[in-house]
Amino acid sequence: FRTQIAGLGRILANEYTIYIVLVEAFIGLADIFTPAAAIRTFLGGRKMNILVVDDDRDGRNCVSDFLREMGHEVTECGTGEEALKLFAVQDFSMVLSDIQMPGMSGLELLQKLLKQAPAGNVDIVLFTGFGDMETAIEALRAGAYDYLLKPVNIDELVAATERIAEHQTLRRENK
C-alpha cells in the first residue's frame, strides 16, 4: 500500500497541536487522517487498557474520551472501591486516579493496587486539583508512576501516557 505525503496541515485541539497528514493511496483516492488517527500515529500506535478513577463525572468523561481518541481501551469508575473490584477481574496497563475522593482516597487505592498487581504490571498516575509539593512527593514515594494536576493538561497527559506505554513495552521485552 503506497502512500505519498500530499500535504501537511496543523490544527489546535485542547491545547495540543495535532498534525494532519493528507495521504494519497495507490488507487488515487485522497484521504485525511482524523485528529484521533493523527495522535495514534504520533504515539506509535501503542494501545493500552486504562482504568480512570474519579468521582467528578465530567472530568472523568473528558479524560476518558481523550484517551479513547488516542486509541486506548478505557474503563471508568467513580470510587476507589469500584476500581478495586474492576482491577480484580480485568488487566490494566495504567490506572489514572484522582487523589481526593470520598471513601477511599487515591493514595489508599494506589497502595492496594500495588499489592494486588502481579509483579508490578501496572503503572499508576495520580492527579488532584488540590496539589502541593508534599502530596506529589508522597504519591511518588508510595509508588505512583507520575503525578498530574487538575484540570489535566493534555500535553502532560499525552507525555505521561507515552512514557507508560514505553515502560510497558520495555517491561514485556525484558520478561
Side-chain angles (χ1 to χ4, degrees), residues 97-119:
S97 177
D98 188 11
I99 291 179
Q100 298 291 327
M101 296 185 292
M104 184 185 306
S105 75
L107 287 169
E108 292 173 277
L109 176 62
L110 168 70
Q111 293 165 347
K112 291 181 181 192
L113 291 178
L114 290 175
K115 286 180 185 173
Q116 195 174 329

Side-chain angles (χ1 to χ4, degrees), residues 55-73:
D55 59 314
D56 172 18
R57 182 182 313 216
D58 292 336
R60 182 178 72 230
N61 289 342
C62 184
V63 168
S64 296
D65 289 346
F66 183 78
L67 291 169
R68 285 185 189 99
E69 285 293 315
M70 288 175 58
H72 300 294
E73 293 292 324

